[in-house]
Amino acid sequence: MSASHPPLTSGSSADTGQPTVPLTFQELLFRLQTFWASRGCILQQPYDVEVGAGTMAPETFLRVLGPRPYRVGYAQPSRRPADGRYGENPNRLFKHTQFQLILKPPPANIQELYLDSLAAIGIDLRRHDLKFEEDNWESPTLGAWGIGWQVMLDGLEITQFTYFQQCGGIDLDPITAEITYGLERIAAFLQDVDSIYDIVWMRDPMTGQEVRYGEIRLEDELQFSVYNFEYADVEKLWEHLRLYEAECQALIDGAQTLAALDDVAQIRRYPLLSAFDLCLKCSHLFNLLDARGAISVTERVGVIARIRALAVGVARAYTSQQTAAQKVTADA
Amino acid sequence: MPDFLLEIGLEEVPSRMLAAAQQELASRVEALLREHRLLESAFQITAFSTPRRLAVLVSGVIPRQPDIEEEMIGPSWKIAWQQESFSPAATAFARKAGVPVDALRKIATPKGEYVGATVLRQGEAASAILVTALPACVAGLSWPKNMYWREGKPERFVRPVRWLVALLDAEILPFHFAGQVAGKTSRGHRILHGAAHVPLHHASEYAGRLREAFVLVHPDDRRHIIRKALDRATRLIPDARWREDAELIETVVHLTEWPTVLSGAFESEYLALPQEVLVTVMRDHQKYFAVESAGGELLPHFLTILNTEVDDQGQATIRHGNERVLRSRFKDAQFFWNADQKTPLTERVELLHAVTFQKELGSYFWKTEQNLRIAEVVSKTIQSRGKILNHAALLQAVLLAKADLTAELVKEFTELQGIVGGLYARAQALGETVAAAIYAQYTPASMEDSIPSTTEAQILGLVDRIQTITAMFSIGNIPSGSRDPFALRRAGNAIIRILAEAALPLRLSELIAAAGQAETSVAGFLRERLSFYLKESRGYSYDVIAAVLAADADDVLDACARCEALTRVRGSADFMAVAAASRRIRNILTQAKQAGSDWSAAQNGLLAEPEEQALLAASERLSEQVQALRMRHEYTLALEAIASLAPTVDAFFAKVMVMAPQADLRAARLRLIDSVLASISGIADFAEIVIA
């Protein structure tokens, strides 16, 4: 194999031939945040309910609904119980980190902006091979789908790029573009390490001392894998799922009753954001049950349909709530 | 004559859609020009595409439509010409037609005489026509999957449109589409050329200018370059060639604007992994070409097609990146392979309790038990008919067939289920017969795929599929219309193909009975699949299939042979006569039965006419003959024998009236024709044959 390869450095250093130290994991995140903040994006913090992907956080799922323009970026730890490998697999995680970007509506130069963001994290595209390959995204549990690509850099999928067409079963207008960077993958690529656990998370600027990804994350990969695959109590998971589902559904039903009353003040304060949290809980419980092998192929279809019904219910109610609230603002 | 250039600039279009879209755009543009009489007789049209553009260049466009003379018809002559002069109505018509009144003429039409005018219609400029017509022309392109991107969702297209070029020679045709106005500015390669615009000063310079901007707009050029470069890169590896893969070539042709080839390598230790796994990773996941020795052995190299051209440092970087990805995927596969060996297949059967087949039915352990039960019966039946097979190995294969579902490698590469089981069986020294059967259990996967080569694999394939079908039917998962979520039709097709092409002595009813389900709908379902197979794979006509299956739809091999024989004889006049007679007999018997006739006890002795005697004798002779030929599956001979009955049966019907007034004679004649029908209907129900 190529015994010595050139370091993967930023564009400027490639020009001068001076190798610079590749970005640490946290610097990678800073750079992306800074880049997109300077292009007018709100920076948000990760959502604090378990999600399988940044798309599920309300900053995406709910914000893409309705007419209001929005631009936001946030890192989102994403839990996928079935992907856990007890920390033994160098390329797989139960919980990985996405940097999620939402541009509503998408600017015409969105692909160019994206390429600029790669330059910002030290990727000199003149020395790499970049392809946008068809990869349409669909989430049956969210009633959402979009058209887009996986972005391949030297054979590695580094980004998922999607033009949302539908969310929560609702046709979207305007369309939202979603750009999802896989931070661990990109960091491992930039730092040229073979294991995610070897990624340099931070480097002390004074001492040069490094902290590796494994030091911070290995333990929870192990323990959560053990829980997800061995300890999670299937009966209780089903019970939790039923409870969260019932509460979520009750809130959705309540929203419908309220909508008929035409009391805008009541409609505005109605807790649909909380209903969505409950829906997210259901989705995570489904993933846990799936990891436990407790869901058969046919059953799967049924449970997905149940969660989808919640997501669609919340999306509809939320859209009407927004419309009602906007009308008040407009009237005032 | 001017050249016309149209380019639609897009965000990356899926590679699978480009070839068809390029073709469609060219034919739409050609049709548009033709419709508007803007095409020279010696025109030339060239279509281009890259991931970021579709384009078409037409040379031989007429710059202005030729003027044409048209006949306009006005009011009737009687109204137009009154008192020896043109009436006010005629004057109005002349004004409308734009001609002087004295240019009006009398025109005779089938409906009578009218006033007419010859009008000169001036041709329009090509540019004006195109500006108006191009939006619809482009919008009408059909894509397998469309999207919206603009606010208000004014249009759907495959991907966002980012620029448009429309030139008639040097003249810009500023048509509007998808928020863009056509100009003369194209774009080059994203990286090699960058964001700078590529101005086109003339339509004809399109391909040349784009080449300067690092875009090869013609897919043929890219294909040629890729093939050459693959050859060149492979020459640097001793005793090597790249594994030909036309499908992958097309994919990478349509994924690139400026293709170059880069070779990479992986540690030879990974060659210990099965080829199937290596090739799946390289080809399907990474779009790499595999490299093999002259003898077809996989070598530890791969070739990847870049959409860029880089310096040595870049090559080293990109090679390193691709090798890194491949290594991690191989490492995963190897990790899974090794981890999987810790639990041999034989121990994995127990683990199938935890893998759900169908919630309403049971686990894959349950399915395995069912499969074993069915295999026991099917194997014995087939052996009792002289087929030699390894019964113990078959049952072992059936027992282990689903065990790889618990393997990590299968969870990773689901498309390799079965294949991985076979490989594990081989690695775990369970015997080649067992391994081969597990390996091939899902073949044929399509109508093009071939059937498994060993009898044990064939039987495993039959058993597994009939179990799935009958089990799914028993809980109401029956395919209907376009809904077939469990791919039961494909399973049914495979059953038919294996029975037909492996020549296994097993009837469909026996297979269904072995599955232990008395669902009559399964028989009907398999009969449909048989009919589909005879039509789609064998190409027999509907009426032949209907005739054959009406006689018997249970023995697949036999049905194939009878279709073949029937197809061969159906053209002959004698055969058609017999077919017509069959239909006649069937109608007579149906009507007689409805009228309450009963001919079961009729006496042949009453048949006195020579034509009756002749038919009786011929029918008895034929009955024996057909029976004997049928036993030997000599269907063509049997059908020829049946066809030879034509003169006798025709003579009978010409002379004898079946529905004689005397009841006993009528019964005797009915019995005669009934026996004739019986003697010929064992092979096919000829009444189904469409008589040309």
Side-chain angles (χ1 to χ4, degrees):
Chain A
M1 239 63 18
S2 46
S4 71
H5 63 275
L8 302 159
T9 55
S10 73
S12 58
S13 65
D15 287 339
T16 60
Q18 289 295 311
T20 55
V21 185
L23 301 179
T24 63
F25 189 66
Q26 63 191 32
E27 282 167 345
L28 171 62
L29 180 55
F30 298 158
R31 290 277 186 101
L32 286 173
Q33 289 179 328
T34 309
F35 177 88
W36 287 107
S38 72
R39 273 138 191 99
C41 290
I42 296 160
L43 290 182
Q44 257 285 23
Q45 300 306 312
Y47 200 57
D48 58 347
V49 172
E50 307 94 325
V51 292
T55 309
M56 305 173 81
E59 281 296 285
T60 295
F61 183 85
L62 296 176
R63 297 284 189 186
V64 301
L65 302 170
R68 252 197 308 188
Y70 202 66
R71 290 186 168 194
V72 66
Y74 55 96
Q76 183 62 56
S78 304
R79 298 180 181 226
R80 298 182 181 175
D83 287 354
R85 291 291 185 276
Y86 297 87
E88 288 167 9
N89 185 302
N91 303 308
R92 256 159 239 263
L93 297 168
F94 143 67
K95 186 166 78 181
H96 70 287
T97 320
Q98 299 182 338
F99 183 70
Q100 168 87 351
L101 193 76
I102 286 299
L103 298 172
K104 175 190 181 186
N109 63 341
I110 184 164
Q111 282 182 304
E112 285 74 21
L113 283 175
Y114 168 72
L115 297 186
D116 288 347
S117 78
L118 295 183
I121 56 171
I123 296 170
D124 175 9
L125 287 174
R126 287 166 305 166
R127 295 223 162 93
H128 291 279
D129 177 40
L130 184 95
K131 297 191 188 93
F132 287 87
E133 297 184 6
E134 180 190 20
D135 192 13
N136 301 323
W137 169 85
E138 186 181 15
S139 168
T141 44
L142 295 181
W145 67 275
I147 295 274
W149 309 276
Q150 48 178 344
V151 182
M152 305 296 289
L153 187 70
D154 301 347
L156 178 74
E157 183 194 346
I158 54 165
T159 302
Q160 186 74 39
F161 196 131
T162 308
Y163 287 102
F164 274 30
Q165 304 289 302
Q166 203 183 61
C167 187
I170 295 171
D171 289 332
L172 301 179
D173 187 18
I175 297 300
T176 293
E178 176 198 67
I179 299 179
T180 305
Y181 300 78
L183 291 186
E184 282 85 358
R185 276 196 181 185
I186 296 175
F189 174 84
L190 292 173
Q191 298 181 12
D192 192 30
V193 292
D194 287 332
S195 165
I196 287 170
Y197 298 104
D198 292 336
I199 291 171
V200 177
W201 187 299
M202 70 83 73
R203 187 178 295 106
D204 188 317
M206 311 304 267
T207 63
Q209 199 187 345
E210 293 173 344
V211 179
R212 303 264 163 174
Y213 194 93
E215 293 173 58
I216 301 168
R217 294 261 8 268
L218 187 61
E219 195 172 9
D220 51 328
E221 283 298 320
L222 172 62
Q223 293 196 9
F224 276 98
S225 294
V226 171
Y227 174 75
N228 299 339
F229 292 127
E230 301 170 23
Y231 281 77
D233 184 320
V234 171
E235 279 315 307
K236 290 207 175 69
L237 292 177
W238 281 119
E239 186 61 22
H240 291 155
L241 179 59
R242 275 189 291 274
L243 289 170
Y244 280 123
E245 182 187 23
E247 192 178 356
C248 183
Q249 190 59 54
L251 284 171
I252 294 168
D253 295 344
Q256 267 166 0
T257 317
L258 200 57
L261 299 179
D262 203 28
D263 178 345
V264 178
Q266 285 301 315
I267 289 173
R268 267 179 82 173
R269 67 191 295 280
Y270 192 79
L272 283 169
L273 297 178
S274 314
F276 185 62
D277 276 10
L278 296 167
C279 171
L280 290 179
K281 287 282 186 196
C282 291
S283 167
H284 181 60
L285 285 161
F286 166 75
N287 290 339
L288 280 171
L289 283 162
D290 203 23
R292 284 291 267 136
I295 301 178
S296 72
V297 182
T298 32
E299 218 170 2
R300 224 186 137 74
V301 179
V303 183
I304 287 175
R306 278 163 62 188
I307 298 171
R308 186 181 192 282
L310 299 179
V312 167
V314 173
R316 285 216 188 107
Y318 181 77
T319 308
S320 334
Q321 186 180 47
Q322 292 298 301
T323 314
Q326 239 147 21
K327 224 172 13 192
V328 177
T329 323
D331 293 347
Chain B
M1 283 296 166
D3 294 336
F4 167 60
L5 170 71
L6 169 66
E7 185 191 47
I8 309 165
L10 296 154
E11 295 186 358
E12 279 77 354
V13 177
S15 54
R16 65 187 168 101
M17 302 176 187
L18 275 170
Q22 169 186 321
Q23 187 69 41
E24 194 191 347
L25 181 65
S27 38
R28 289 183 73 85
V29 166
E30 184 184 331
L32 173 72
L33 293 169
R34 199 182 292 285
E35 180 198 334
H36 290 280
R37 295 176 286 114
L38 290 171
L39 216 43
E40 277 281 282
S41 53
F43 74 99
Q44 263 199 327
I45 188 156
T46 319
F48 310 96
S49 69
T50 78
R52 293 180 73 202
R53 68 203 79 225
L54 281 183
V56 58
L57 177 65
V58 188
S59 56
V61 173
I62 299 169
R64 175 174 286 278
Q65 285 176 325
D67 297 347
I68 48 168
E69 289 190 335
E70 264 182 5
E71 210 65 64
M72 266 180 86
I73 307 278
S76 77
W77 186 251
K78 252 190 258 168
I79 292 171
W81 185 254
Q82 291 175 347
Q83 296 148 10
E84 295 301 302
S85 69
F86 284 111
S87 66
T91 320
F93 168 65
R95 200 163 42 242
K96 187 178 150 210
V99 297
V101 176
D102 53 16
L104 296 180
R105 292 179 293 112
K106 177 168 31 170
I107 292 177
T109 78
K111 287 193 220 158
E113 293 179 330
Y114 287 84
V115 66
T118 304
V119 182
L120 183 74
R121 172 140 311 166
Q122 276 197 337
E124 271 190 274
S127 52
I129 294 174
L130 287 170
V131 167
T132 313
L134 280 172
C137 175
V138 174
L141 280 171
S142 50
W143 299 98
K145 211 167 171 80
N146 279 303
M147 61 173 281
Y148 293 106
W149 68 97
R150 291 208 294 150
E151 287 193 70
K153 308 213 284 190
E155 69 276 303
R156 298 175 78 204
F157 211 63
V158 62
R159 286 291 185 279
V161 177
R162 290 308 178 200
W163 75 88
L164 294 169
V165 173
L167 289 175
L168 195 63
D169 279 350
E171 183 191 358
I172 293 175
L173 309 179
F175 80 94
H176 291 247
F177 177 68
Q180 306 290 340
V181 185
K184 59 168 191 168
T185 309
S186 182
R187 312 252 180 109
H189 187 278
R190 275 194 191 286
I191 311 298
L192 298 174
H193 183 79
H197 288 169
V198 180
L200 300 168
H201 303 294
H202 193 280
S204 62
E205 64 180 34
Y206 178 62
R209 281 271 174 227
L210 266 297
R211 181 185 290 265
E212 289 168 21
F214 302 96
V215 177
L216 295 174
V217 287
H218 208 304
D220 291 347
D221 292 344
R222 300 198 300 275
R223 190 176 301 109
H224 180 74
I225 281 182
I226 288 171
R227 284 192 169 274
K228 283 265 185 213
L230 284 169
D231 289 342
R232 210 164 35 243
T234 322
R235 272 202 289 278
L236 300 174
I237 307 164
D239 184 36
R241 63 182 185 207
W242 54 279
R243 192 169 279 188
E244 174 60 43
D245 190 336
E247 204 181 316
L248 185 56
I249 291 267
E250 287 318 294
T251 302
V252 294
V253 160
H254 295 296
L255 269 177
T256 51
E257 299 206 298
W258 191 261
T260 58
V261 170
L262 188 72
S263 68
F266 54 88
E267 289 80 356
S268 354
E269 64 184 87
Y270 293 118
L271 288 174
L273 282 167
Q275 279 216 11
E276 293 84 348
V277 175
L278 297 173
V279 172
T280 300
V281 171
M282 287 195 279
R283 178 185 196 278
D284 300 346
H285 296 220
Q286 292 299 126
K287 301 189 177 74
Y288 297 160
F289 289 86
V291 176
E292 60 186 18
S293 70
E297 293 263 323
L298 216 53
L299 296 174
H301 297 269
F302 65 90
L303 299 164
T304 177
I305 312 298
L306 313 182
N307 180 31
T308 189
E309 187 170 353
V310 292
D311 59 13
D312 288 350
Q313 193 191 334
Q315 285 201 7
T317 305
I318 297 171
R319 176 178 297 118
H320 180 75
N322 279 284
E323 286 174 348
R324 208 177 145 272
V325 176
L326 190 62
R327 191 182 305 125
S328 80
R329 285 197 171 264
F330 282 169
K331 204 180 272 180
D332 269 1
Q334 194 174 46
F335 174 83
F336 294 142
W337 174 281
N338 292 337
D340 285 345
Q341 301 311 314
K342 288 178 200 153
T343 313
L345 283 182
T346 46
E347 286 173 30
R348 288 181 182 275
V349 178
E350 275 300 311
L351 304 179
L352 290 175
H353 278 297
V355 185
T356 309
F357 169 60
Q358 275 296 309
K359 191 188 165 211
E360 302 90 325
L361 295 166
S363 66
Y364 269 96
F365 187 87
W366 172 84
K367 179 172 179 38
T368 300
E369 285 181 327
Q370 304 301 309
N371 283 357
L372 280 168
R373 202 172 43 70
I374 301 167
E376 185 79 38
V377 178
V378 168
S379 172
K380 294 229 161 101
T381 307
I382 288 179
Q383 287 182 82
S384 74
R385 289 171 191 162
K387 189 97 188 169
I388 292 166
L389 61 93
N390 185 338
H391 183 73
L394 168 64
L395 291 187
Q396 174 84 337
V398 174
L399 176 70
L400 302 177
K402 304 299 161 187
D404 71 352
L405 280 167
T406 65
E408 294 298 320
L409 195 61
V410 169
K411 289 180 191 161
E412 185 66 14
F413 302 105
T414 47
E415 64 267 51
L416 292 179
Q417 206 229 314
I419 290 175
V420 166
L423 294 169
Y424 284 180
R426 195 168 295 153
Q428 293 160 17
L430 296 173
E432 189 47 37
T433 311
V434 174
I438 297 173
Y439 187 97
Q441 62 179 298
Y442 293 107
T443 53
S446 66
M447 287 316 261
E448 294 78 38
D449 203 2
S450 52
I451 63 159
S453 57
T454 70
T455 308
E456 292 79 7
Q458 291 156 3
I459 296 175
L460 169 54
L462 289 177
V463 164
D464 184 37
R465 291 180 177 98
I466 195 66
Q467 196 282 328
T468 300
I469 292 171
T470 50
M472 289 298 183
F473 271 59
S474 74
I475 54 167
N477 286 330
I478 299 170
S480 67
S482 61
R483 270 189 54 80
D484 183 12
F486 301 99
L488 299 184
R489 289 199 186 102
R490 192 169 67 192
N493 292 342
I495 287 177
I496 302 298
R497 278 200 51 201
I498 292 173
L499 287 174
E501 292 168 29
L504 291 177
L506 186 71
R507 301 176 75 87
L508 289 174
S509 58
E510 292 167 337
L511 185 61
I512 297 169
Q517 301 275 346
E519 292 279 338
T520 48
S521 49
V522 174
F525 171 76
L526 287 180
R527 181 187 166 129
E528 268 170 41
R529 295 298 95 205
L530 174 56
S531 173
F532 174 84
Y533 171 75
L534 293 170
K535 179 87 193 83
E536 299 301 324
S537 286
R538 297 290 184 101
Y540 298 122
S541 60
Y542 284 112
D543 61 339
V544 164
I545 295 169
V548 162
L549 298 189
D552 176 53
D554 199 22
D555 184 333
V556 170
L557 201 58
D558 191 60
C560 294
R562 286 181 288 127
C563 276
E564 181 57 35
L566 189 51
T567 303
R568 243 183 257 166
V569 301
R570 74 166 295 186
S572 78
D574 274 354
F575 177 74
M576 279 312 197
V578 172
S582 301
R583 185 169 298 209
R584 188 169 179 180
I585 293 172
R586 193 168 71 171
N587 290 343
I588 294 171
L589 293 176
T590 308
Q591 282 166 16
K593 205 169 276 173
Q594 280 165 357
S597 294
D598 176 16
W599 53 88
S600 54
Q603 297 296 316
N604 282 342
L606 294 172
L607 302 172
E609 300 290 331
E611 287 79 7
E612 291 174 328
Q613 296 284 345
L615 185 60
L616 180 62
S619 165
E620 281 170 354
R621 203 171 50 243
L622 191 63
S623 183
E624 275 170 37
Q625 202 182 354
V626 169
Q627 195 108 24
L629 288 168
R630 194 180 166 166
M631 293 287 278
R632 304 205 302 270
H633 302 283
E634 300 269 18
Y635 297 122
T636 310
L637 290 179
L639 288 169
E640 279 166 7
I642 288 168
S644 73
L645 192 65
T648 320
V649 77
D650 281 353
F652 171 82
F653 277 119
K655 190 73 191 292
V656 177
M657 191 178 68
V658 176
M659 301 310 274
Q662 310 92 311
D664 52 349
L665 181 58
R666 189 166 68 230
R669 285 176 177 169
L670 284 169
R671 183 170 175 203
L672 170 60
I673 60 171
D674 196 5
S675 70
V676 168
L677 196 60
S679 70
I680 64 173
S681 294
I683 292 171
D685 179 355
F686 302 115
E688 295 282 346
I689 295 294
V690 175
I691 293 163

